Amino acid sequence: MHSDWLWVIFTLAAALAQTLRNATQRGLIAGLGATAAAHVRFLFGLPFGLAFLAALLLLTGQMPPRPSLVALGWMLSGSLMQILGTALMLSAMSERSFVVTIAYTKTEPVQVALFGIVMLSEKLTLPLIAAILIATSGVMIMGWPARQVPGMDRHRLKPALLGMASGAFFAMAAISFRGGILALQAENYILAAITTLAIGLLMQTAMLTAWLALRDRRALREIIQAWRPSLGAGFLGAVASAFWYLAFALESAARVRTLALVEILFAQIVSRNMFRQKTSPRDAIGIVLVVVGVVILLNS
């Protein structure tokens, strides 16, 4: 089942599922708040993650790999970083448009590349560096303010900082989950990825449930009451994470997260159809740069 191009399919599927999940979660922010809305993807994603693992075990007849303390450490780090990244992203979405927020978070590939060198000793080639810089420039053009306006510090800078901080946490999460998958040392990469998914969701659900139980029990009750829309976000979140981890099992985090910039194209489609947000000429230039960067990446 291993293929040089299989990671591309997994990444594209993950980006599409994540775009739809983000759009679903965005609608929950007003009623639940950023932290509670972030919890939705984990709490309601956990049953699906466990179901994916159970189905895989039944189909293959295998037992899940027994995680070492090193693997669990990577997964715990990834789980915490992903929680923080999601909360910051949803906070930024409440300040700016859907597409612009996604653009800010997509400074992530540059940070993934740097963290990958430091944490996993991954190597970068010149074509990969060019692809990262060109594609990231595209999303920054889409997200950068067109001109200085009154109140920019409050209305423009804050969501920019939230979005870029979110990207940093997502970058560390990507590196950590890839580290966890590799540390499992499983013969079957699919089993390693789905096991990491189930353990990660279990950790994230436990952490955020405990946090809200101590700090905001009302929000926890409201999450349960909003189970219908939350169920969709949880399912999409579990599907997106499953495909991300499958891609991480086959390819470096830097390449996966650079290709993942196609999410900005999916976000444009969603914003036009769901949120009635128009695409400007500058957005079009940014999209072209993203596409050029992805083409370089796939041919590197």
Side-chain angles (χ1 to χ4, degrees), residues 19 22 26 92-93 96-106 138-144 263-273 275-280 283-284 287:
T19 301
N22 288 341
R26 185 180 192 263
M93 279 184 183
R96 289 298 307 272
S97 74
F98 180 74
V99 171
V100 171
T101 297
I102 296 299
Y104 284 137
T105 65
K106 292 310 172 187
V139 295
M140 290 307 296
I141 286 173
M142 296 174 69
W144 199 259
E263 185 185 344
I264 199 70
L265 310 182
F266 298 149
Q268 282 283 347
I269 296 170
V270 169
S271 68
R272 287 177 65 87
N273 289 278
F275 306 132
R276 299 293 185 264
Q277 295 169 350
K278 297 181 180 180
T279 301
S280 68
D283 290 338
I287 288 172

Side-chain angles (χ1 to χ4, degrees), residues 152-173:
M152 176 179 171
D153 288 344
R154 178 182 176 185
H155 300 294
R156 302 272 188 165
L157 188 57
K158 181 181 177 182
L161 293 176
L162 286 173
M164 287 186 283
S166 171
F169 283 117
F170 281 136
M172 288 186 282

Side-chain angles (χ1 to χ4, degrees), residues 104-287:
Y104 284 137
T105 65
K106 292 310 172 187
T107 56
E108 177 192 353
V110 175
Q111 302 177 76
V112 166
L114 296 175
F115 292 141
I117 293 172
V118 175
M119 298 168 69
L120 295 180
S121 300
E122 294 181 340
K123 297 180 180 179
L124 300 181
T125 63
L126 287 177
L128 176 56
I129 293 171
I132 291 172
L133 294 178
I134 291 172
T136 303
S137 296
V139 295
M140 290 307 296
I141 286 173
M142 296 174 69
W144 199 259
R147 62 183 186 277
Q148 188 78 17
V149 294
M152 176 179 171
D153 288 344
R154 178 182 176 185
H155 300 294
R156 302 272 188 165
L157 188 57
K158 181 181 177 182
L161 293 176
L162 286 173
M164 287 186 283
S166 171
F169 283 117
F170 281 136
M172 288 186 282
I175 294 298
S176 295
F177 281 126
R178 175 165 164 78
I181 291 168
L182 296 178
L184 283 176
Q185 297 181 335
E187 294 183 6
N188 186 328
Y189 75 89
I190 299 177
L191 186 58
I194 303 304
T195 298
T196 300
L197 169 69
I199 294 175
L201 284 172
L202 189 61
M203 288 178 170
Q204 290 163 328
T205 299
M207 284 189 285
L208 267 181
T209 299
W211 172 265
L212 289 174
L214 291 172
R215 300 296 297 270
D216 195 349
R217 293 185 181 180
R218 179 181 176 184
L220 201 55
R221 290 193 296 270
E222 290 175 345
I223 291 174
I224 303 301
Q225 291 171 357
W227 67 270
R228 289 181 185 274
S230 299
L231 201 61
F235 172 73
L236 290 169
V239 170
S241 293
F243 280 119
W244 286 133
Y245 299 165
L246 287 168
F248 290 150
L250 296 178
E251 188 53 82
S252 71
R255 286 174 66 84
V256 170
R257 298 310 287 177
T258 300
L259 178 58
L261 290 174
V262 297
E263 185 185 344
I264 199 70
L265 310 182
F266 298 149
Q268 282 283 347
I269 296 170
V270 169
S271 68
R272 287 177 65 87
N273 289 278
M274 292 182 64
F275 306 132
R276 299 293 185 264
Q277 295 169 350
K278 297 181 180 180
T279 301
S280 68
R282 191 176 57 167
D283 290 338
I285 294 173
I287 288 172

